[in-house]
Amino acid sequence: MLSLLSLIIASGTVLRADTELWEPLTYPDPRTNSTECNVPHEGTLCDPDHILTDTWRQTILDNVEQHMAKLQDAKIHYTEEASQECHSNSTEPVQIFMILAKRIHTASNASITSNDLTQFGHGIREAFGLDTMPCKNYVLVLGVELAKEIYVWTGSDLTITKETLDNSLDQYKNLFTERNYMEVLNKIVDEISSLIMDPYKEYSTTAIPEETTEDASGTTLEASSPSSLTTTVVPGWVYYVIAICICITVATVIFFAFFFIKFFRNRSKSAQIYLAEDSQKSGAMYEIRWGEV
């Protein structure tokens, strides 16, 4: 049984190693590839590695779409340098992208670094053509499970500042170390929508904003500390198989315990019957001998 459990755990590690190492050009675009993104229709949420459960994926997708629909009729604050298409609302409405992955391709085989995440995010923006739109009014949320980090970019035409992002999302650091990280992702969508509606919202916090990478096309937020270790994640089905094996083992032990107890009890009764019969036979022989005398 122990050998079987070891084999199951080992197979889980092998399956984990076979997970796609995503690159910007191979990562599916949820606007055109809903099947690979594991969503029912085209949109802005992509979860090709099943980081979310089906229920939470649908919940977050519905939440994103509800906020985006609400933002269509809202007065969005744009920068002074924003194009006329932004101010006239004649272009695409604000889009909130939720991009999730377990692993991404890195410069080396070591752990995922902040630079790897930054380059991957820039590559996604380029592959999706986000910075070539007439109005750069998008928000891109990138979550990589093995990196234990979440990064957020905003289009350069939105007035959300780095400091505002830091203060707003500071409470969601160490996202993937939380047991309820799916619920936290859903709350991040609420926070981002609130910031788009009111980018001048003030947050009282004593946390010192962490250094981030900025460029002319958006703001990058590092929402958790880089991890220097790569975590091996065992698939959930392995735990179910282990639990079943443990139950079978316990049931087998209990069965044999009852079997041996019953066996020894029957053997003890047989020995008592044998002794009684032997005693009776001995008494009969004595009486016969006594009669002959």
Side-chain angles (χ1 to χ4, degrees), residues 247-263:
C247 292
I248 294 175
T249 303
V250 172
T252 303
V253 171
I254 294 174
F255 171 79
F256 279 106
F258 278 111
F259 174 80
F260 282 115
I261 291 173
K262 187 175 181 180
F263 173 77

Side-chain angles (χ1 to χ4, degrees), residues 30-92:
R31 298 171 299 180
T32 57
N33 192 347
S34 60
T35 301
E36 196 168 356
C37 286
N38 294 314
V39 288
H41 55 266
E42 282 71 21
T44 56
L45 169 64
C46 193
D47 181 23
D49 296 328
H50 295 275
I51 291 178
L52 305 173
T53 63
D54 292 341
T55 301
W56 269 112
R57 189 182 305 112
Q58 186 63 51
T59 298
I60 295 176
L61 177 62
D62 292 341
N63 194 28
V64 169
E65 292 178 344
Q66 289 172 7
H67 280 295
M68 288 174 55
K70 182 175 63 175
L71 291 171
Q72 285 185 0
D73 301 324
K75 180 176 176 56
I76 307 300
H77 297 271
Y78 291 107
T79 63
E80 295 180 358
E81 296 78 14
S83 63
Q84 183 60 33
E85 287 85 353
C86 292
H87 295 288
S88 62
N89 291 328
S90 60
T91 183
E92 291 289 334

Side-chain angles (χ1 to χ4, degrees), residues 166-180:
D166 285 339
N167 293 336
S168 175
L169 302 181
D170 182 72
Q171 57 185 312
Y172 303 120
K173 287 184 177 182
N174 304 319
L175 171 68
F176 289 108
T177 61
E178 301 291 338
R179 296 182 60 183
N180 62 334

Side-chain angles (χ1 to χ4, degrees), residues 4-283:
L4 175 61
L5 295 179
S6 299
L7 178 61
I8 292 172
I9 294 174
S11 65
T13 304
V14 172
L15 289 174
R16 186 66 190 85
D18 290 339
T19 302
E20 181 76 32
L21 292 175
W22 295 109
E23 296 183 3
L25 294 179
T26 61
Y27 192 90
D29 188 337
R31 298 171 299 180
T32 57
N33 192 347
S34 60
T35 301
E36 196 168 356
C37 286
N38 294 314
V39 288
H41 55 266
E42 282 71 21
T44 56
L45 169 64
C46 193
D47 181 23
D49 296 328
H50 295 275
I51 291 178
L52 305 173
T53 63
D54 292 341
T55 301
W56 269 112
R57 189 182 305 112
Q58 186 63 51
T59 298
I60 295 176
L61 177 62
D62 292 341
N63 194 28
V64 169
E65 292 178 344
Q66 289 172 7
H67 280 295
M68 288 174 55
K70 182 175 63 175
L71 291 171
Q72 285 185 0
D73 301 324
K75 180 176 176 56
I76 307 300
H77 297 271
Y78 291 107
T79 63
E80 295 180 358
E81 296 78 14
S83 63
Q84 183 60 33
E85 287 85 353
C86 292
H87 295 288
S88 62
N89 291 328
S90 60
T91 183
E92 291 289 334
V94 176
Q95 293 180 305
I96 302 174
F97 289 88
M98 181 72 70
I99 304 300
L100 303 175
K102 285 187 177 180
R103 305 176 70 185
I104 61 174
H105 182 76
T106 59
S108 63
N109 293 327
S111 59
I112 302 173
T113 65
S114 298
N115 184 63
D116 293 327
L117 289 168
T118 301
Q119 294 303 318
F120 185 80
H122 291 336
I124 287 290
R125 289 159 54 199
E126 182 178 357
F128 287 9
L130 300 182
D131 292 326
T132 61
M133 297 188 300
C135 183
K136 304 174 185 62
N137 56 354
Y138 65 87
V139 177
L140 174 66
V141 181
L142 170 64
V144 179
E145 186 180 33
L146 282 187
K148 306 298 182 186
E149 292 181 317
I150 179 170
Y151 273 37
V152 178
W153 284 264
T154 62
S156 58
D157 289 332
L158 293 174
T159 57
I160 303 175
T161 64
K162 169 189 173 298
E163 182 180 2
T164 303
L165 276 175
D166 285 339
N167 293 336
S168 175
L169 302 181
D170 182 72
Q171 57 185 312
Y172 303 120
K173 287 184 177 182
N174 304 319
L175 171 68
F176 289 108
T177 61
E178 301 291 338
R179 296 182 60 183
N180 62 334
Y181 68 89
M182 300 184 195
E183 180 181 356
V184 174
L185 278 173
N186 202 38
K187 290 181 179 179
I188 288 176
V189 175
D190 297 335
E191 287 287 341
I192 289 174
S193 177
S194 177
L195 283 176
I196 295 173
M197 295 283 290
D198 184 9
Y200 306 107
K201 184 177 181 179
E202 294 183 357
Y203 293 85
S204 58
T205 176
T206 57
I208 300 176
E210 300 178 6
E211 293 185 1
T212 60
T213 303
E214 295 187 58
D215 62 12
S217 58
T219 302
T220 305
L221 168 68
E222 180 179 341
S224 63
S225 301
S227 172
S228 59
L229 299 177
T230 301
T231 305
T232 300
V233 180
V234 180
W237 63 267
V238 174
Y239 296 105
Y240 290 107
V241 175
I242 292 175
I244 293 173
C245 292
I246 292 175
C247 292
I248 294 175
T249 303
V250 172
T252 303
V253 171
I254 294 174
F255 171 79
F256 279 106
F258 278 111
F259 174 80
F260 282 115
I261 291 173
K262 187 175 181 180
F263 173 77
F264 284 116
R265 284 182 178 177
N266 291 338
R267 185 174 181 181
S268 176
K269 290 180 180 179
S270 299
Q272 292 176 1
I273 294 172
Y274 175 78
L275 291 175
E277 291 179 351
D278 188 59
S279 175
Q280 292 175 0
K281 291 179 180 179
S282 299

